[in-house]
Amino acid sequence: HTHTHTHTHTAMGGCIGSCVGGCAASCCCKLGGCVSGRNKMSPRFQKIPYAVLIFFSILVALIVRSYHEDFGFSLYGGIKLSLCGDACRGDQAVYRICLALTLFFGAHCFLVTLLPYSIGYEIHTTFFGVKSLLYIGMVIGMFYIDQQSMNDFADTCRIISLIFLVFQTIAIIDYAYTFHFWMIDKEDQSWDIANLALSGLMYSTAITVIGFLFKWFAAENSCGLEKFVLSMTIIVPALYTAYSCTEQCQHGALFPSAAVTGYITYIAFTAMLSSTNSECNTFSGDDEGKKWELAIGIIIAAASVTFTTWNVGSTSSKLFGARNPDDSDRLMVSPDDDKNNEGSQNMELDDDDDGPQEEPEIPEELARQRKYDATVFHFLMTVASMYACMLLTSWSTDNYGASDRYHSAESFWVKVASQWLVMILYVWTLVAPVLFPDRDFT
């Protein structure tokens, strides 16, 4: 006899929620303190529990996406419980977990923005154990939503994810410039040699990879589109590299150009893998390449979010507007001062455990800046959650059992467009100071 469990979604949601919430809550409690309401971490380390949460959520989404069978188990006497239907399979499971993540970070962004600093910042920095339990409930609830609503959410993610692609593009260009000037500021010949060596390595690697891409994806006469995309991957970098080394482009350099060239070469490779032209795509029947693409894409996305949000509030981040240097220095010192003041108070009150422990008064400007940083962080995490949804499903609405789920025109053109966006924005960073000499682009 076979019986079907009536509350199908609850069980599966509980399994996913337990995996995500259990791991995240354990890490968050150790890092932030689930019981204590006092904040014992610096503003940067307060973001670690959220990174742990999104990491385990993506991990669970990857696991359930790859499992295409019915979720169930057998009981004594041959009774079988079927725990979940199509709502738990493939892309649908990814949609639900990513929707929970999106709502979780979106709610944080909303609350931190609207509530006063004393309440909003407390929500951002503490109560990780309670929030982990709430997140479990959110994941469970997502599995009660019908599939059409999830498909609508996926369509929304395709649009919103373009915002994240723009952000990621700006972030990568910013990293290239930051790392270049970091090496130059060393004022050491060995670092100058390392700068040139890394630039040469990236260029030689890019040229070699492009040569293989022509062989793998543009060998036939019918591969006109693929040849055009790969040709642009050679011509445009050659032009902006030559210009960045001229006297007219005083702020240009070889290393940022090499880094951007390496990145757009990687994008070209992922776009070619997504091509639906089976005559040109020699990897059309090989999903191993797509697995590597997915892994590298997640690493790049995670690095973009982590590095930028880690530096929000410091002088090294220029993505959301430059700050006054004096203000930045003060903001960088203030959190440590608060921590030292807090430590002094704890030492003074150590003999009196029952005595009141008051937080030091936060300057209004510092409070406003911390609130801004927390809002930017949760906004980026909200958009990143939606981008992860598209990344995990390869920008496709194909059924989980389709053999061509990794090859779609949508995925191909999104990646080609992102490649062109990278080239356009980098060229703009080179020509903008020349076109507008009166403006400060540093």
Side-chain angles (χ1 to χ4, degrees):
H1 300 281
T2 302
H3 300 281
T4 303
H5 201 283
T6 56
H7 300 289
T8 57
H9 299 131
T10 304
M12 185 55 197
C15 293
I16 297 177
S18 298
C19 292
V20 177
C23 295
S26 176
C27 294
C28 290
C29 288
K30 292 180 180 179
L31 291 171
C34 292
V35 179
S36 174
R38 293 177 62 82
N39 174 27
K40 299 182 180 179
M41 293 184 294
S42 67
R44 288 184 174 183
F45 283 94
Q46 292 158 0
K47 302 168 186 176
I48 292 180
Y50 297 107
V52 173
L53 178 66
I54 197 169
F55 171 79
F56 279 105
S57 297
I58 291 177
L59 179 62
V60 172
L62 284 171
I63 294 174
V64 297
R65 191 206 65 175
S66 302
Y67 189 76
H68 300 154
E69 304 297 331
D70 288 334
F71 290 88
F73 57 91
S74 298
L75 298 177
Y76 178 77
I79 300 176
K80 182 179 180 181
L81 297 181
S82 180
L83 299 180
C84 207
D86 292 339
C88 295
R89 299 179 188 173
D91 292 350
Q92 286 293 324
V94 176
Y95 296 159
R96 283 160 169 76
I97 295 176
C98 291
L99 177 57
L101 275 176
T102 301
L103 295 178
F104 179 81
F105 288 112
H108 276 76
C109 184
F110 179 79
L111 293 175
V112 171
T113 302
L114 295 184
L115 294 178
Y117 167 79
S118 58
I119 301 176
Y121 198 71
E122 189 78 5
I123 293 175
H124 168 62
T125 58
T126 57
F127 306 114
F128 294 116
V130 175
K131 290 188 287 190
S132 295
L133 294 176
L134 291 176
Y135 178 69
I136 293 175
M138 293 176 63
V139 174
I140 294 175
M142 295 304 106
F143 282 83
Y144 283 97
I145 301 178
D146 61 278
Q147 292 191 18
Q148 183 58 45
S149 298
M150 288 296 97
N151 291 333
D152 293 338
F153 168 70
D155 292 336
T156 304
C157 288
R158 285 185 185 83
I159 300 174
I160 301 300
S161 294
L162 298 177
I163 299 175
F164 185 85
L165 285 176
V166 174
F167 151 75
Q168 183 171 271
T169 298
I170 297 174
I172 289 174
I173 295 174
D174 181 65
Y175 302 163
Y177 276 114
T178 300
F179 190 52
H180 165 73
F181 287 114
W182 178 81
M183 289 189 289
I184 294 299
D185 290 341
K186 295 291 184 180
E187 297 182 352
D188 190 340
Q189 185 177 5
S190 60
W191 282 104
D192 294 338
I193 296 174
N195 191 316
L196 292 175
L198 289 174
S199 301
L201 177 63
M202 286 187 287
Y203 273 119
S204 59
T205 302
I207 293 173
T208 302
V209 170
I210 292 175
F212 280 108
L213 294 182
F214 270 102
K215 177 181 179 180
W216 293 335
F217 301 101
E220 303 295 333
N221 294 330
S222 60
C223 305
L225 179 60
E226 287 77 6
K227 291 179 181 178
F228 172 76
V229 173
L230 295 177
S231 297
M232 294 295 291
T233 309
I234 296 176
I235 296 173
V236 176
L239 294 176
Y240 66 60
T241 298
Y243 176 72
S244 65
C245 297
T246 61
E247 295 182 357
Q248 292 182 342
C249 185
Q250 298 181 358
H251 67 286
L254 189 63
F255 181 84
S257 299
V260 172
T261 300
Y263 180 58
I264 65 173
T265 302
Y266 159 74
I267 298 178
F269 173 61
T270 62
M272 295 299 105
L273 285 176
S274 300
S275 175
T276 56
N277 191 341
S278 58
E279 295 183 1
C280 302
N281 189 352
T282 57
F283 294 88
S284 58
D286 181 16
D287 290 339
E288 290 298 323
K290 296 300 296 184
K291 292 179 181 178
W292 279 104
E293 177 201 344
L294 176 62
I296 296 174
I298 290 176
I299 291 173
I300 292 176
S304 300
V305 174
T306 303
F307 184 86
T308 303
T309 55
W310 191 264
N311 288 283
V312 167
S314 68
T315 55
S316 62
S317 178
K318 304 295 183 182
L319 298 181
F320 301 95
R323 302 190 183 116
N324 186 291
D326 296 334
D327 294 341
S328 298
D329 293 338
R330 184 171 64 256
L331 291 175
M332 291 176 66
V333 174
S334 296
D336 294 333
D337 292 341
D338 293 340
K339 184 176 180 180
N340 293 333
N341 292 336
E342 183 179 342
S344 299
Q345 286 188 350
N346 290 338
M347 292 177 62
E348 294 174 359
L349 298 175
D350 186 52
D351 295 334
D352 186 9
D353 295 337
D354 297 332
Q357 298 183 7
E358 297 181 358
E359 292 283 352
E361 184 178 354
I362 303 297
E364 181 180 354
E365 185 177 358
L366 177 59
R368 183 171 58 253
Q369 189 59 59
R370 284 183 174 180
K371 185 175 182 178
Y372 167 80
D373 294 344
T375 301
V376 170
F377 171 77
H378 287 293
F379 172 76
L380 290 178
M381 295 300 279
T382 300
V383 179
S385 299
M386 304 181 79
Y387 176 73
C389 181
M390 292 293 96
L391 197 63
L392 293 172
T393 59
S394 193
W395 299 81
S396 177
T397 56
D398 291 339
N399 295 328
Y400 61 86
S403 59
D404 60 345
R405 60 163 289 113
Y406 291 121
H407 311 283
S408 65
E410 296 89 345
S411 179
F412 174 81
W413 283 109
V414 165
K415 293 167 184 176
V416 171
S418 64
Q419 184 201 42
W420 294 346
L421 177 64
V422 173
M423 294 188 291
I424 291 172
L425 288 179
Y426 180 66
V427 170
W428 172 251
T429 65
L430 297 177
V431 301
V434 178
L435 298 178
F436 303 97
D438 297 332
R439 296 187 59 182
D440 182 14
F441 290 92
T442 59

